[in-house]
Amino acid sequence: MVPQKIIHIPTLEDNPADFHRLFQIRNQIGREPVSCRFDFSRCRYLCHNAVAFLGGLARLVGYQRGSVTFDWNSVQDRWLKTSIRQNGFAEAFGDVFTPWDGTTIPYREDNVFHPNKVADYLADHWLGKGWIHVSEALKDAVVERVLELYVNAFEHAQSAIGIFSCGQYFKYINELHLTLVDFGIGIPTNVRGYLKRIRPDLPAEQLKAEICLDWAFQRMTTTKPGSSSRGVGLDLLKSFIRINRGKMSVYSNDGYAEITNDKEIFQSSAQPFDGTIFHIKLVCDETFYSLTNETEENTILNIGRTR
Amino acid sequence: MNIRLQELIGDRCITAEQGQKLLTIIEPLLLENEMVTVDLTGVRTLLSLFLNNGIGPLFKHFDRQQLDHLLTFEHLSETQKQTLRLVLQNAEAYHRDPTTQKAIDNTLSRNLEEMD
């Protein structure tokens, strides 16, 4: 019989230190079959990042032929109890309460990519609750850009258990957040593997994570020979984040990337993680949803007539 | 020939398979020198993956001027125009300029070579 590990889930917000705590929990569980119990008695708050991550981690443990029990009776904080019931996280892991509408955005698991369902999730549950007063056309445009992130994850992550997402609307700062987590190969590992294939004479494993991420986030790059996609989706999302004055943070293997309207940061991460997290923040102000960058538009080659 | 994408694919054009479906229809027409108009009326979601597979491979047969002459897109939103232009730009570089891939790969390997 496999001994049960008790994992004490701490209070988790969305600071880098909170992400590192999540990665520590993942490493604490290990890669062998294990039986775990998630104990929430020390947790006062669970940000949507942590919800997506812990949900994915529980599925990963199951995939590794282990098991996770969520000890919902250990939840002490009333607000925490409400939020994880409201967003469906508790129900997904054995709680009897049915989720309901509120400021939380539902926890979601996608083992395989059902584009229409994800598009509906983004349109109806993420954007569609009236946080942002936008037209249907503009809503569709935002969904188009964010959906690129899901496509990218399913194209490149090689996650055996799929993609896990959750979001939150923060009324007091007027921001809309969304997090996607996969426990796949990770971007730096993917880039190093690609370099190894095309240049076996080079020590690809020594390529720094920040170099890998910087390369992967440039347009025209791809780790898939024969593909003409070449980073278009991420590039479109980056442009949108800049125009919106939002923020995209990426944790992948031993690397970290941050994209805002005025800078791109690529650096090594102190706490490695097998997989990738995309965390995006959008400003809920209509004036930041002009999706066409005029300067960029004018410099794009005029190929293919459009009317 | 006028192709209404919403009727052919639906109001969400997202996947590679959907793109390939469009390609199988327009590719033979364009190879016969027939003018093709792709009408996006009613298309709510147009993703780069769809266009990479539906339009990108046309650069195997045509250059920019030929496609510009033969292929027209109608009723795109501003974001859809942006997506289309970027996909076309990348596909043209990929299919028409064999040095592109090498130059991009070199930017990666140079980092290691400079460490020596």
Side-chain angles (χ1 to χ4, degrees), chain A residues 21-151:
Chain A
R21 279 189 200 103
L22 285 168
F23 304 155
Q24 283 164 358
I25 292 170
R26 194 270 169 270
N27 292 333
Q28 190 184 345
I29 286 174
R31 282 149 189 82
E32 299 299 320
V34 66
S35 170
C36 302
R37 181 161 62 86
F38 284 178
D39 182 294
F40 294 89
S41 56
R42 298 175 188 173
C43 181
R44 296 287 169 268
Y45 177 72
L46 209 53
C47 198
H48 60 284
N49 310 311
V51 166
F53 188 94
L54 293 175
L57 183 56
R59 300 304 182 204
L60 182 67
V61 172
Y63 179 74
Q64 293 174 172
R65 299 182 183 175
S67 64
V68 173
T69 306
F70 285 74
D71 186 355
W72 297 126
N73 290 327
S74 67
V75 179
Q76 305 293 316
D77 188 272
R78 195 195 299 173
W79 193 90
L80 171 64
K81 194 174 282 188
T82 301
S83 69
I84 59 177
R85 283 178 172 168
Q86 192 179 52
N87 67 18
F89 181 58
E91 188 198 38
F93 294 96
D95 190 56
V96 293
F97 282 83
T98 309
W100 65 94
D101 262 356
T103 56
T104 61
I105 294 155
Y107 164 73
R108 180 173 180 84
E109 299 181 359
D110 290 279
N111 296 327
V112 290
F113 188 35
H114 294 293
N116 286 338
K117 287 182 182 171
V118 176
D120 286 342
Y121 168 73
L122 294 173
D124 301 337
H125 294 288
W126 190 57
L127 284 170
K129 295 220 182 153
W131 327 124
I132 313 170
H133 298 286
V134 291
S135 65
E136 283 299 308
L138 191 48
K139 191 192 287 183
D140 286 339
V142 177
V143 168
E144 271 179 341
R145 289 296 177 258
V146 177
L147 205 51
E148 294 281 3
L149 205 50
Y150 281 85
V151 168

Side-chain angles (χ1 to χ4, degrees), chain A residues 120 140 144-145 148 151 194 199 215 219-220 226 229-230 232 292 297 300 303 305-307, chain B residues 12 44 46 48 68 72-75 78-80 82-83 85-86 89-90 94 101 104-105 113:
Chain A
D120 286 342
D140 286 339
E144 271 179 341
R145 289 296 177 258
E148 294 281 3
V151 168
Y194 174 67
R199 288 291 304 272
W215 186 83
R219 194 164 44 158
M220 305 292 286
S229 65
R230 324 196 68 80
V232 175
T292 308
E297 186 85 349
I300 289 172
I303 315 172
R305 287 178 295 145
T306 57
R307 283 200 288 242
Chain B
R12 285 183 170 139
R44 296 172 61 196
L46 181 73
S48 61
D68 207 18
T72 306
F73 297 89
E74 281 187 345
H75 303 122
E78 285 307 309
T79 51
Q80 291 169 349
Q82 201 180 21
T83 307
R85 287 185 179 139
L86 208 53
Q89 191 181 16
N90 281 10
Y94 174 74
Q101 179 72 51
I104 291 162
D105 291 345
E113 287 163 341

Side-chain angles (χ1 to χ4, degrees), chain A residues 113 115-116 119-120 123 136 140-141 143-145 147-148 151 155 191 194-195 198-199 202-204 206-207 211-212 215 219-222 225-230 232-233 235-236 239 291-293 296-297 300-307, chain B residues 12 14-15 35 37 44-49 52 56 59 64 67-95 100-101 104-109 111-113 115-116:
Chain A
F113 188 35
N116 286 338
D120 286 342
E136 283 299 308
D140 286 339
V143 168
E144 271 179 341
R145 289 296 177 258
L147 205 51
E148 294 281 3
V151 168
E155 281 277 287
V191 172
Y194 174 67
L195 182 61
I198 59 165
R199 288 291 304 272
L202 292 175
Q206 291 179 19
L207 200 62
I211 303 289
C212 296
W215 186 83
R219 194 164 44 158
M220 305 292 286
T221 60
T222 186
S227 164
S228 65
S229 65
R230 324 196 68 80
V232 175
D235 201 52
L236 289 165
S239 299
L291 291 167
T292 308
N293 182 330
E296 190 174 302
E297 186 85 349
I300 289 172
L301 291 175
N302 182 26
I303 315 172
R305 287 178 295 145
T306 57
R307 283 200 288 242
Chain B
R12 285 183 170 139
I14 297 172
T15 66
M35 309 278 276
T37 298
R44 296 172 61 196
T45 314
L46 181 73
L47 255 65
S48 61
L49 180 64
N52 282 326
F59 282 97
R64 175 184 157 184
L67 271 188
D68 207 18
H69 173 67
L70 289 170
L71 186 58
T72 306
F73 297 89
E74 281 187 345
H75 303 122
L76 297 90
S77 69
E78 285 307 309
T79 51
Q80 291 169 349
K81 282 182 190 172
Q82 201 180 21
T83 307
L84 176 66
R85 287 185 179 139
L86 208 53
V87 166
L88 289 170
Q89 191 181 16
N90 281 10
E92 184 191 28
Y94 174 74
H95 287 291
T100 304
Q101 179 72 51
I104 291 162
D105 291 345
N106 283 344
T107 62
L108 200 55
S109 54
N111 284 288
L112 279 177
E113 287 163 341
M115 280 167 57
D116 294 337

